[in-house]
């Protein structure tokens, strides 16, 4: 009987190992050689599953995004500002798991700036995220919760900058930007929506 | 007569080349081998000037910070919110040169997360930047320009997240986060300080 190989499990294992290598030593530490070694693969065998390191990191990025989307899932049943809060909280580094996802996101950004295909992938994700935020803002305007004079597309951009900045600073400037402070930034951001 | 070698000029050249390699292909593209090749050095000769790639990127980070500090120089003669505006504008990606400095900063962050010495270096810079912002806020409070109920240290943190987020998003999400929009974010941020 031929040996059964679970190829999906192997791909998952490769992504696991890469995720851990990024957390430990950043994008430079996650070389194809190192990934293969940690996963217990022969060097060439990795190529059977992923064409390149960029393809593996892309998969790690998808996993980070899936974590965020799973957390944001219940935002779908919430309208306006409540929905916006749930959605934003999912993407903000408000616990260690999300700080970790932010680390992988930073590594992905670094690669995406050298690989236009990866960057386009990110922009597609960003675009869908932005339109979901916009939907919640429109609901908020309908319900009279959102009354600020700031145009909706600039509110979206502000929230995106807050989220990106928080993901970076809870890592590189963690002495100052703590999870508690990020939580208060979100509160104040949402509070401003209710002011004319 | 022995050949005169301008060692400072050579160190500058190495940093120039590394800066350009980061802009072209990110931190992974800037290997010791590639830096030596582009600078016209023998592979081993680079080590005479810098012990490691991290040391070179640290120097590129210092250059980016010097650009920002030179731009922020005239903030020193300005009080309160005017000083804060000049200081913030220097660190925000408000023209192509500053977008470029942001790219080098992102590469430095990536390395700093794998090299605690580099991260401490960044935190020292951050700490001095934060205290200058705080000084301007205190002047603004004295002069009655800053009346918001938000505590000063959280205002500082908000500005840092805005700045970090803008540096990232004008690069990875440039379809949305344009220089003009970043300029409006700064305006609104400063405008909020004047509201109770």
């Amino acid at each position: 009987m031929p040996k059964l190989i679970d190829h999906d499990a192997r791909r998952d294992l490769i992504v696991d190992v890469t995720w851990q290598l990024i957390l430990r030593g950043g994008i430079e530490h996650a070389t194809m050689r190192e990934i293969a070694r940690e996963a217990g693969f022969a060097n060439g065998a990795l190529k059977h599953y992923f064409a390149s390191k960029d393809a593996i990191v892309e998969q790690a990025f998808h996993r980070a995004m899936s974590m965020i989307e799973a957390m944001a899932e219940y935002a779908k049943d919430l309208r306006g500002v409540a929905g916006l809060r749930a959605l934003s909280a999912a993407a903000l580094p408000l616990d260690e798991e999300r700080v970790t996802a932010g680390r992988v996101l930073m590594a992905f950004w670094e690669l995406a700036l050298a690989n236009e295909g990866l960057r386009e992938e990110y922009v597609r994700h960003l675009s869908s995220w932005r339109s979901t935020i916009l939907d919640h803002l429109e609901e908020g305007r309908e319900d009279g919760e959102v009354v600020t004079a700031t145009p909706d597309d600039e509110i979206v951009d502000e929230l995106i900058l807050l989220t990106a900045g928080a993901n970076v600073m809870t890592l590189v400037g963690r002495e100052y930007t703590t999870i508690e402070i990020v939580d208060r930034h979100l509160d104040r951001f949402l509070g401003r929506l209710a002011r004319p």
Side-chain angles (χ1 to χ4, degrees), chain A residues 60-98:
Chain A
F61 165 73
H62 285 305
R63 183 182 292 186
M65 292 304 108
S66 301
M67 276 172 56
I68 291 175
E69 277 155 24
M71 281 192 197
E73 187 58 35
Y74 83 110
K76 286 184 181 135
D77 301 324
L78 300 170
R79 262 185 80 83
V81 173
L84 194 55
R85 177 181 293 274
L87 196 69
S88 309
L92 282 167
L94 292 173
D95 60 27
E96 282 313 315
E97 194 186 0
R98 278 168 281 177

Side-chain angles (χ1 to χ4, degrees), chain A residues 17-55:
Chain A
V17 160
T18 306
W19 185 289
Q20 292 305 324
L21 287 172
I22 289 172
L23 295 189
R24 241 186 285 152
I27 198 69
E28 285 201 312
H29 189 47
T31 59
M32 287 295 261
R33 177 188 296 265
E34 197 58 27
I35 295 166
R37 209 183 60 79
E38 288 271 322
F41 283 45
N43 226 326
L46 214 53
K47 293 260 177 190
H48 183 65
Y49 296 96
F50 290 99
S52 65
K53 168 174 163 175
D54 282 17

Side-chain angles (χ1 to χ4, degrees), chain A residues 34 41 100 110 120 172:
Chain A
E34 197 58 27
F41 283 45
T100 295
E110 177 61 39
E120 280 164 11
V172 294

Side-chain angles (χ1 to χ4, degrees), chain A residues 4-194:
Chain A
L4 286 172
I5 298 176
D6 184 339
H7 291 291
D8 284 344
R10 288 203 162 183
R11 293 173 65 94
D12 278 351
L13 170 66
I14 294 167
V15 174
D16 278 348
V17 160
T18 306
W19 185 289
Q20 292 305 324
L21 287 172
I22 289 172
L23 295 189
R24 241 186 285 152
I27 198 69
E28 285 201 312
H29 189 47
T31 59
M32 287 295 261
R33 177 188 296 265
E34 197 58 27
I35 295 166
R37 209 183 60 79
E38 288 271 322
F41 283 45
N43 226 326
L46 214 53
K47 293 260 177 190
H48 183 65
Y49 296 96
F50 290 99
S52 65
K53 168 174 163 175
D54 282 17
I56 305 176
V57 176
E58 184 177 358
Q59 213 48 50
F61 165 73
H62 285 305
R63 183 182 292 186
M65 292 304 108
S66 301
M67 276 172 56
I68 291 175
E69 277 155 24
M71 281 192 197
E73 187 58 35
Y74 83 110
K76 286 184 181 135
D77 301 324
L78 300 170
R79 262 185 80 83
V81 173
L84 194 55
R85 177 181 293 274
L87 196 69
S88 309
L92 282 167
L94 292 173
D95 60 27
E96 282 313 315
E97 194 186 0
R98 278 168 281 177
V99 171
T100 295
R103 178 68 192 93
V104 173
L105 180 60
M106 277 183 74
F108 180 80
W109 284 335
E110 177 61 39
L111 289 191
L113 288 174
N115 178 332
E116 189 57 16
L118 285 189
R119 202 184 68 82
E120 280 164 11
E121 165 99 24
Y122 181 70
V123 170
R124 273 193 296 278
H125 163 80
L126 194 60
S127 168
S128 124
W129 192 256
R130 292 179 75 106
S131 79
T132 312
I133 297 173
L134 263 182
D135 290 346
H136 284 296
L137 283 174
E138 278 169 23
E139 290 167 358
R141 297 239 184 234
E142 275 170 36
D143 299 352
E145 292 177 306
V146 176
V147 298
T148 174
T150 307
D152 284 2
D153 62 330
E154 294 185 26
I155 301 175
V156 173
D157 204 68
E158 195 186 324
L159 181 57
I160 297 283
L161 297 199
L162 170 65
T163 306
N167 273 296
V168 170
M169 283 297 147
T170 48
L171 292 160
V172 294
R174 55 183 172 263
E175 285 81 353
Y176 299 106
T177 308
T178 60
I179 287 172
E180 293 69 34
I181 284 189
V182 171
D183 205 24
R184 286 208 287 278
H185 287 314
L186 176 59
D187 267 352
R188 263 198 305 272
F189 169 81
L190 294 172
R192 287 200 291 272
L193 302 179

